[in-house]
């Protein structure tokens, strides 16, 4: 499955070149953000403010987030490739996001939500998906994200390990997140499976009820 997704993505993502931490993929649209005033002193993550915007999403029942990401990618890619009420092709954007919630039990499947950002050209009026398992979602309020970047091929437990690191970095920097440790996280992937070096992944927390100690 991963290799199938790879075949679909390769031609679109190969030219993708990434700058440093602050940049995202050159040549691919991404949601815009501003850095907030309360960046961590040690630079271990970014605090970003996003404006309201549309995403296209699908829920996938799967054993793992990687598997859900592959299945969700195919559905959302079909949507941008023309499976929509206007039959239009929509440019790929970055990142591909998987929302990971805590598993209801140790050995069972879970529901994951996979997201693509809708590019500017269609933001005001996104086409309707023809696949009933795919929906356009409008995030109608500005929101804040805590984003930790990491590199390499993200798989298996990586989002959990990286999110734990993000949370402890947030705590060390004075953000009290005790109550969110058990709820959910986002895994954001910026590269195709064929990109070997300088891969750009992020884990993200958007739970803004996480109060600041100062
Ligand atoms: C970022 O800041 C600019 C300039 O203040 C503002 O116009 C824009 O709406 C802000 N965008 C977000 C996502 O907050
Ligand atoms: C995914 O599940 C959530 C929670 O049940 C629901 O609110 C949302 O509409 C679902 N999204 C899609 C695309 O079906
Ligand atoms: C962090 O939040 C928890 C739960 O809201 C609270 O019990 C605890 O006192 C807080 N810790 C600090 C250092 O603010």
């Amino acid at each position: 499955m991963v290799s199938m997704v790879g075949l679909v993505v390769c031609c679109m993502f190969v030219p993708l070149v990434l700058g440093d931490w602050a940049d995202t993929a050159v040549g691919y649209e991404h949601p815009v953000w501003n850095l907030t005033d309360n960046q961590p002193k040690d630079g271990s993550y970014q605090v970003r403010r996003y404006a309201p915007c549309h995403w296209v999403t699908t829920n996938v029942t799967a054993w793992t987030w990687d598997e859900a990401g592959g299945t969700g990618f195919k559905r959302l890619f079909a949507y941008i490739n023309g499976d929509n009420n206007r039959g239009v092709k929509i440019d790929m954007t970055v990142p591909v996001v998987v929302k990971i919630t805590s598993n209801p039990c140790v050995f069972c499947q879970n529901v994951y939500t996979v997201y693509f950002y809708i590019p500017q050209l269609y933001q005001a009026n996104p086409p309707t998906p023809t696949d009933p398992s795919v929906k356009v979602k409008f995030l109608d309020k500005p929101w804040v994200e805590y984003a930790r970047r990491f590199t390499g091929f993200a798989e298996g437990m990586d989002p959990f390990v990286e999110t734990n690191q993000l949370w402890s970095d947030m705590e060390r920097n004075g953000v009290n997140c005790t109550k969110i440790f058990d709820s959910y996280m986002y895994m954001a992937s910026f590269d195709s499976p064929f990109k070997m070096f300088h891969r750009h992944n992020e884990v993200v927390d958007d739970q803004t009820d996480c109060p600041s100690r100062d």
Side-chain angles (χ1 to χ4, degrees), residues 32-34 49-51:
V32 287
W33 70 77
N34 287 339
R49 182 177 300 102
Y50 289 77

Side-chain angles (χ1 to χ4, degrees), residues 1-109:
M1 179 183 61
V2 167
S3 60
M4 267 188 69
V5 171
L7 282 176
V8 176
V9 192
C10 71
C11 309
M12 314 182 58
F13 275 83
V14 163
L16 183 145
V17 177
L18 289 167
D20 64 16
W21 152 269
D23 300 322
T24 47
V26 174
Y28 292 89
E29 249 190 73
H30 57 81
V32 287
W33 70 77
N34 287 339
L35 295 181
T36 65
D37 293 337
N38 56 331
Q39 298 302 309
K41 289 174 191 66
D42 61 9
S44 53
Y45 56 88
Q46 286 187 336
V47 191
R48 304 169 179 164
R49 182 177 300 102
Y50 289 77
C53 57
H54 287 94
W55 295 68
V56 61
T57 82
T58 187
N59 289 340
V60 181
T61 302
W63 294 102
T64 65
W65 73 270
D66 325 42
E67 182 196 344
T71 304
F73 184 97
K74 279 185 270 184
R75 287 185 202 159
L76 300 179
F77 189 84
Y79 166 76
I80 66 169
N81 203 36
D83 288 357
N84 55 67
N85 66 335
R86 285 179 240 156
V88 289
K89 286 196 198 292
I90 301 171
D91 283 346
M92 184 68 198
T93 59
V94 292
V96 177
V97 179
V98 182
K99 182 178 184 176
I100 305 171
T101 53
S102 50
N103 234 25
C105 52
V106 180
F107 296 105
C108 61
Q109 293 189 314

